[in-house]
Amino acid sequence: MMKAQMQRFTKKIVDMMKAERLFESQGGPIILSQIENEYGPMEYELGAPGKAYSNWAAKMAVGLGTGVPWVMCKQDDAPDPVINTCNGFYCDYFSPNKAYKPKMWTEAWTGWYTEFGGSVPYRPAEDLAFSVARFIQKGGSFINYYMYHGGTNFGRTAGGPFIATSYDYDAPLDEYGLLRQPKWGHLKDLHKAIKLCEPALVSGDPSVMRLGNYQEAHVFKYKSGGCAAFLANYNPRSYATVAFGNKHYNLPPWSVSILPDCKNTVYNTARVGAQISRKKMVPVPMHGVLSWQAYNEETASDVDSSFTMVGLLEQINTTRDVSDYLWYSTDIKIDPREGFLKNGKSPVLTVLSAGHALHVFVNGQLSGSAYGSLEFPKLTFSQGVNLRAGINKISLLSIAVGLPNVGPHFETWNAGVLGPVTLNGLNEGRRDLSWQKWSYKVGLKGEALNLHSLSGSSSVEWAQRSFVTRRQPLTWYKTTFNAPAGNAPLALDMGSMGKGQIWINGQSIGRHWPAYKASGNCGYCNYAGTYNENKCRTNCGEASQRWYHVPRSWLKPTGNLLVVFEEWGGDPNAISLVRRETGSVCADIYEWQPTLMNYLMQASGKVDKPLRPKVHLECDAGQKISAVKFASFGTPEGVCGSYREGSCHALHSYDAFNRLCIGQNFCSVTVAPEMFGGDPCPSVMKKLSVEVICS
C-alpha cells in the first residue's frame, strides 16, 4: 500500500517535470534527481526488509525514464546506476560504491538546527571552507549546501520534538534572507578560487605529495602543461611552513591554500577576506504602543468533554495532530476526615507523561507545569496540590511540541499522559488515578472558535486593558498594527512571553517558547579542530528563541491582526515589532593575506612581488559608517564586537578609517604599515582588526 502511494506520487512529480520539458535530456535545466533520503541508517536497523525496500525504491525511480541520473543520500548499497552520495560536516573521506560514479556531497552542513531549551549552534566559516576545500582536493565533483538559506518552521511544521520555530541553521543567507557575513563572502571567495582551478580539476585525478607530518599537497596537472595545487595543513594547533615547487608557503592551522597556477596563492580557508557583520533587532516605531485585548481560554473543568473512558490514552493517536493540545480530566473525591485537611500537608500529585509539556490545573487553577527536551522528551510532574473536601476536578493539559521525523520505528514513539497518575499523602496512603474514568477534549476552545482568524476573532467578547496585565495562563491576546515603512526584514520580540503560538492575519508564525532558557556550554570556540554540532554555541542562559520572523508578504499596509495564545502567562504589553539590520561591521585581515585581485595581478605576470591586501567595509543600503569603534594594526585580540589592543599596536590605526570611511556607505583601506603611521613591531606577523558602526 505504502509503496503503491509512493510510486504514484513519484511518478506524478516526474510526469509534471516531463510535461514542462524540464529534464536535461529534454533540453531543460534539471540534471539530477533524488529518491529517498538518508534511508541507509534505517536500513541498517531494519535489516533485510529495509534492503528490499531501498532496492525497490531505486528500481522504481530509474524505471521512470527521466534521462538524468538518480542519487540516494547516505545509502552505501545504492544499486547501479543510482549514485550514492554523502551528507555531513565533512565528506573528503567518502567514496561512492563504484569507481565510475562521481563523488558527490549532497548536504554540506553549514550549521545545525536550534531546539527549544538548547543553545544556538554555529559553524565557523573557516572550518566550513576547509571542509569544502578538502573535498575538492580529493576529487569531489559536486557540493550542495544544507542549508544555504536559513528558514522558518511556520505553523506547527517544526519537526522534533522540540525543534524551534527558527530554522536559521547559521546558513550563509540567514532566516531573514540577509547575508550572514563573513560566511557568505568567504564561501563566495572559495568558489571563485575553485573555479580558477577548474581546467586542472576536470582533467584527471590528483597526485598527492607529503609536505610534513600533518601537511600534504594535492596537485592536478592538465594536458597543456598547467597545474593547480591544494596545500593542506591538518594540524589544528600550529602553523606550518612548507616547501612546494621552488617556493615556501606559510599555512595556518587547520587550513588549505589554493594555488590555481601551482605558484601563487589565491585563497586560504583560514584567512577571511570578507567583512564580519553584526546584526541587531531594532524596535519599529509604532503609533503608540500595541494596544492589547484578552480572552480567557476555558480550563477543562468548564468545557464539555468530547468523550469519556477508563484509563489513559496516547496523545497523537487521539488528536491525529489536529492540535498540539489534549485535555485529560478526572475527579478526585476527598473525604472530609482526611488528615491533610487539618494538618495542612498538601497531598502530592505525580503525573508521568511521555511528553512533551504539561500544565496541571486543580479546580481551574494552574497548579504547575513540567516539560521535557529533545534528548529526554518524557517528563514527570510531582508536587503538592490544593484539594478540598468533596469533589475536585483535575485537568491535565498535555502539549505536543512537533512530531518526530527521523529514527527507526518513530511511528511507535508516544506522547501524552500515559501514567501512572497517583496521589500521595492521603489517609489510605497512595491512590492510583490511572484507571479512573477520564474525560478527553482535543484542542482548545479558542482553536475551535478560530480566534486566530479575522472572522473568528470578532465572534467573541474580548476584555480590555486592565485584564491584559494579569499574566494569566491560558489567555488569547489580540491587537492590530500597521506595516512599517521600508523593506527591512521584520520579527516579533517575544521576550516577555512564556509559551504558546502566534498568528498574523490568520497565518501561523509558529510556536513561541522564549521562557525555555538555553542550557549548554557557550565558551570561546576555535575554528580549528573537527567540528560537531555541540562544539560552537551561543545564547546559553537566554531564550533559545526570542525573535520570530514575520514575512512582509503576510502584511497589509494597515490593520494587521496579531493574535497570541499564551499558555504560561506573560506580559503582551512588552511584545514589540522589530526590524533586522546591521549594527556594525568588522574585518580581520592579516598582512600578506591572499586575495583574488592580487592573485590575478601576480598570475598575469604584471607584478612579481607580494601585494598588500585591502580591507573592505560596507553597511546596509541606506546606512552610512558613522563611527570607528575599534581599529588596531599590530597584534589585536578578541572577536568582532569585543576587540582589544594587543602588545603591539600602531598608534595611528584609526586615522585612515576616520579619513576614508566616515560618512560613506562603503570604503576600502590597504593593510600596509604606512597607512597606520609605520610598522609598530617589524619582526612580528601583524593583522588589522577594525569595527565600524553603521547607522
Side-chain angles (χ1 to χ4, degrees), residues 406-545:
V406 66
H409 300 293
F410 67 69
E411 73 281 2
T412 64
W413 299 2
N414 290 328
V417 180
L418 301 180
V421 179
T422 58
L423 192 63
N424 227 341
L426 304 175
N427 290 354
E428 75 213 56
R430 179 151 93 202
R431 187 185 300 177
D432 189 341
L433 310 177
S434 313
W435 290 99
Q436 296 200 157
K437 256 180 144 171
W438 287 85
S439 299
Y440 292 90
K441 171 95 176 135
V442 173
L444 305 168
K445 185 177 179 193
E447 289 180 307
L449 291 168
N450 280 323
L451 290 188
H452 65 274
S453 69
L454 291 161
S455 55
S457 68
S458 48
S459 66
V460 299
E461 282 293 313
W462 295 73
Q464 299 303 325
R465 297 204 179 101
S466 63
F467 185 80
V468 169
T469 54
R470 285 202 219 148
R471 290 187 169 266
Q472 287 277 86
L474 295 196
T475 306
W476 295 79
Y477 297 104
K478 78 165 180 175
T479 188
T480 55
F481 67 95
N482 296 339
N487 56 4
L490 302 173
L492 284 168
D493 183 346
M494 298 294 289
S496 64
M497 303 304 281
K499 178 181 184 304
Q501 295 182 36
I502 312 164
W503 295 263
I504 285 184
N505 293 332
Q507 295 205 74
S508 175
I509 292 289
R511 302 183 180 98
H512 70 271
W513 199 350
Y516 206 157
K517 303 304 182 206
S519 59
N521 175 18
C522 290
Y524 168 72
C525 175
N526 185 351
Y527 78 87
T530 304
Y531 179 79
N532 64 56
E533 64 272 24
N534 299 311
K535 182 179 170 186
C536 304
R537 296 278 185 156
T538 60
N539 270 46
C540 293
E542 299 167 40
S544 295
Q545 186 178 350

